[in-house]
Amino acid sequence: MMASSAFDPPSGPPRRVLCVGAAVLDTLFRVRSLPTGQGKILPYEMLQVAEGMASSAAFAVARLGGHASLWGAVGDDATGDRILTELGKSGIDTGSMLRAEGARSAVSTILIDDRGERLIVPFYDTRLHDTVRSVAAGDVSSFDAVLVDVRWPKLALATLLAAREAGKPAILDGDVAGDGVIEMLAPAASHIVFSQPAAERLAGATDLTEIVGRLKRKYDQAFVSVTSGENGSYWFDDTTSEIRHLTAPDVKAVDTLAAGDIFHGAFALAIAEGMPIEETMRSSSMAAALKCQVFGGRIGAPSRAEVCDALRDWNVRSVSAPHIP
C-alpha cells in the first residue's frame, strides 16, 4: 500500500475557496531569449489562455480537488465571453463575475524564454472596476477560505473584511501593486503571502529573514510569509516565534508564469482544509514547482495526485533562518 501524504484529500465534501481579482486573456509567446532592445523577435510556440492572479489561483484550487469560485470583472466584449467560457470549462464557478458595461476585458502579451523567465505587457481598462459590489459576512459565510489579489483593491478590501467578520481565513496575495494598495489591504488579512519584490519594496530591505521580521512586526495580526522563487519561501512561525526557511524543490523551469498564483491557490486550499502551516508551505511550494515544468501559464497546475506523489519523494523540511537583530 502506498504511504499517505499530508496533502491527501480530507474527508467530507471539497472545501470551498473564493478567489477575488484578475481575469485576463493572456497571449504567450515562447522565445529562445528575452529581447534586450528594439527589433523583431520570432517565437517558436504560442498559445492563448484565460488566467490572471486570482483566476490561476482558482484553477489551482479546482485542480487540487477543491471547489473554486471567482469574483472578478470582464468587459462586455468577445474577449470577456472567451475568458468566462474558458474559466468555466476549467472547473471554476464564474457565476458571480461582473460584466462591466463599456469596458474592455483585460489582456496581456507575455514572452517566455528557454530559462522559464518572462516579460509581461498587461493592459487593464480602469473602467472594469468602476462598480464595486457590497460584501457582507453572509456573502462569504459558505466559503472555507477567501483569497484576494491586488488587482481590484476596493473589492479585495471589502471581501477581506467580510471574511474576517465571518470568521473565515482572509488571505492576501501580496504582489507588487500601486502605491498604498498593500498598505490598505494587509491590515485586513489573516494570512499574507508576499512576493519577494513586493516584500522588499514594503520592508525597505533585501535580506529575506529581516524582511519577514519587519513585515510580521508591521502586520502582527496575520500569518506572514514571503516567496522567493528558486530560493524557496520564508515565514514567521507564530508558535515558536522563529522565522522558517524552506528551500524550493529542485526542478528544471520551463515556464514560471503563474507559479506564484498556483502557490497561492494551493495555500488557500490547504488553509481551508486546516492543514498545519509547515505542510501547507511544503505542498504549496511543490505545486508551484511542478507547474514550472510545463509551458502554458496556469495550464501547468498539477493535480492533487501529482502533488502527493512528489511530496512522498521530497524529504526537505524547513529550518530556522539566521537571526537578524
Side-chain angles (χ1 to χ4, degrees):
M1 180 180 294
M2 184 175 291
S4 64
S5 162
F7 200 49
D8 285 338
S11 59
R15 302 305 188 263
R16 298 171 55 86
V17 178
L18 170 63
C19 299
V20 179
V24 188
L25 182 63
D26 285 346
T27 302
L28 281 56
F29 293 103
R30 200 169 183 188
V31 299
R32 296 300 178 193
S33 59
L34 297 179
T36 57
Q38 65 178 358
K40 182 181 290 186
I41 185 168
L42 299 178
Y44 63 91
E45 192 170 351
M46 182 275 266
L47 66 81
Q48 289 186 309
V49 58
E51 49 187 2
M53 297 167 67
S55 299
S56 297
F59 181 64
V61 170
R63 283 283 286 158
L64 295 170
H67 182 283
S69 296
L70 180 65
W71 289 0
V74 296
D76 57 349
D77 51 16
T79 300
D81 293 338
R82 179 171 178 177
I83 290 171
L84 292 180
T85 298
E86 192 171 317
L87 293 177
K89 289 181 177 179
S90 297
I92 301 168
D93 179 2
T94 61
S96 295
M97 290 284 287
L98 172 70
R99 299 300 299 262
E101 184 176 354
R104 290 174 290 178
S105 296
V107 296
S108 66
T109 297
I110 303 168
L111 303 183
I112 302 170
D113 69 13
D114 283 346
R115 297 181 302 165
E117 297 303 319
R118 73 269 193 194
L119 175 66
I120 304 175
V121 183
F123 172 76
Y124 290 91
D125 188 335
T126 57
R127 293 173 296 177
L128 280 173
H129 300 155
D130 282 346
T131 300
V132 180
R133 61 183 291 172
S134 61
V135 186
D139 297 318
V140 299
S141 61
S142 64
F143 297 102
D144 299 295
V146 163
L147 168 67
V148 308
D149 70 27
V150 294
R151 293 293 176 256
W152 196 349
K154 290 182 180 179
L155 181 60
L157 179 59
T159 307
L160 289 174
L161 292 171
R164 295 295 297 274
E165 183 180 351
K168 306 293 183 177
I171 305 163
L172 170 62
D173 174 353
D175 202 357
V176 175
D179 290 344
V181 170
I182 290 182
E183 291 88 342
M184 176 180 74
L185 298 178
S190 64
H191 299 73
I192 311 171
V193 182
F194 291 100
S195 68
Q196 181 176 349
E200 289 178 345
R201 176 178 169 182
L202 194 59
T206 56
D207 180 272
L208 286 169
T209 304
E210 180 180 3
I211 287 171
V212 171
R214 287 189 182 188
L215 293 178
K216 178 60 182 180
R217 289 191 291 274
K218 188 177 183 68
Y219 305 115
D220 62 353
Q221 88 288 347
F223 166 82
V224 170
S225 63
V226 177
T227 59
S228 181
E230 64 183 9
N231 297 316
S233 55
Y234 292 75
W235 70 92
F236 187 89
D237 188 320
D238 291 302
T239 301
T240 65
S241 296
E242 294 180 319
I243 296 172
R244 308 292 294 178
H245 174 226
L246 178 68
T247 59
D250 185 16
V251 299
K252 177 176 174 52
V254 171
D255 173 13
T256 59
L257 180 68
D261 307 327
I262 302 308
F263 185 105
H264 288 98
F267 180 93
L269 180 59
I271 293 296
E273 293 176 351
M275 188 179 297
I277 199 62
E278 167 92 16
E279 301 306 329
T280 294
M281 298 301 287
R282 280 172 51 79
S283 58
S284 303
S285 297
M286 183 56 72
L290 292 175
K291 181 263 120 11
C292 289
Q293 298 180 104
V294 180
F295 172 71
R298 59 112 174 151
I299 291 173
S303 68
R304 187 92 179 210
E306 289 170 333
V307 174
C308 288
D309 287 347
L311 286 172
R312 292 185 181 99
D313 297 329
W314 191 41
N315 297 319
V316 175
R317 309 299 300 189
S318 70
V319 298
S320 296
H323 175 67
I324 301 294

